[in-house]
Amino acid sequence: MATLLHIDSSLNGEQSVSRAVTASFRKTWEEQHPEGTVIYRDLSAAPLPHLTAEAHTAGFVAPEDRTPEQRAAFAIREELLGELESVDAVLIGAPMYNWSIPSTLKTWLDNIVLVGRTAGGAESVAGKPITVVTSRGGSYAPGTPNEGRDYIEPYLQFVLGEQLKADVHFIVPELTLAPVTPSMAALVDKAHASRAQAHEDAEARAKALVTQLAA
């Protein structure tokens, strides 16, 4: 039985496009794999603690040599690392906030990137499929005024794909602000099309992963 780690980071609740698309993925996953397990983390509702000096340095000290402060600080990192390593697939909602990922998601990354374990030659999650839904209010596609200003997909591909050696797949609903921004009224149809395509892609990706993991 496969286990999915589902992480949302949008602060927009029911209005969130990234949450809606990750929900489509999860619904399809559960329909295709009813005997499986889903671990859910809502980083907006339950933010993780920022990485501290003790939690950072503890990652490079043998467990038996850690100070009481280091052991206490590393406990949440150990929980998150073990959780990531134990699951079969990961789903991440990563909306664009000010041209980057939400700080809550960056905190999760700070906790789970550990040289000697998940990165830096060890890569304990190498090959693990990670699906990222990265929504954005405008368009950053080639030929648009914002081309080259997408700092989410390149960053997450580098961290998750190159450093952790995970198998990263992106789903990108764009123009999410068009329906609520008068100056973007001409782009509403494209926004709806992009969102619909993202839901289709999420459902197809979930089905493909269930089949892949069952093989």
Side-chain angles (χ1 to χ4, degrees):
M1 294 185 292
T3 299
L4 173 70
L5 173 60
H6 174 187
I7 296 173
D8 277 326
S9 59
S10 171
L11 53 76
N12 287 325
E14 294 182 356
Q15 304 304 314
S16 167
V17 172
S18 67
R19 285 179 183 268
V21 176
T22 60
S24 286
F25 179 106
R26 177 172 172 174
K27 180 175 182 292
T28 302
W29 171 283
E30 292 177 323
E31 288 173 348
Q32 298 290 314
H33 191 51
E35 70 276 19
T37 302
V38 177
I39 299 171
Y40 182 59
R41 283 190 178 273
D42 186 335
L43 300 181
S44 179
L48 296 166
H50 286 287
L51 197 64
T52 64
E54 290 80 8
H56 172 68
T57 56
F60 304 99
V61 177
E64 63 273 16
D65 295 330
R66 291 170 185 161
T67 66
E69 293 78 16
Q70 286 177 324
R71 286 195 293 272
F74 195 75
I76 182 62
R77 293 194 73 187
E78 186 61 60
E79 177 185 345
L80 295 170
L81 285 160
E83 184 175 82
L84 176 61
E85 291 167 336
S86 70
V87 301
D88 300 284
V90 182
L91 171 65
I92 299 174
M96 178 184 283
Y97 291 162
N98 297 316
W99 301 278
S100 186
I101 60 174
S103 62
T104 52
L105 181 57
K106 177 60 165 60
T107 299
W108 180 78
L109 290 170
D110 287 342
N111 277 285
I112 59 91
V113 175
L114 179 56
V115 173
R117 182 163 173 179
T118 56
E123 292 102 24
S124 60
V125 298
K128 195 180 297 291
I130 299 179
T131 303
V132 180
V133 177
T134 170
S135 57
R136 61 280 303 273
S139 177
Y140 295 76
T144 65
N146 281 322
E147 180 182 358
R149 294 173 179 167
D150 168 21
Y151 303 109
I152 291 185
E153 189 168 337
Y155 169 67
L156 291 180
Q157 179 60 50
F158 175 76
V159 174
L160 300 173
E162 295 187 38
Q163 297 302 301
L164 272 62
K165 307 299 183 186
D167 177 15
V168 188
H169 180 89
F170 291 91
I171 297 172
V172 187
E174 293 196 315
L175 301 167
T176 62
L177 289 178
V180 296
T181 305
S183 62
M184 298 176 70
L187 299 172
V188 169
D189 287 345
K190 289 184 177 180
H192 289 326
S194 179
R195 182 167 181 168
Q197 185 63 57
H199 282 281
E200 289 182 19
D201 292 346
E203 292 166 5
R205 176 66 174 168
K207 290 178 181 177
L209 280 178
V210 168
T211 300
Q212 173 186 321
L213 294 171

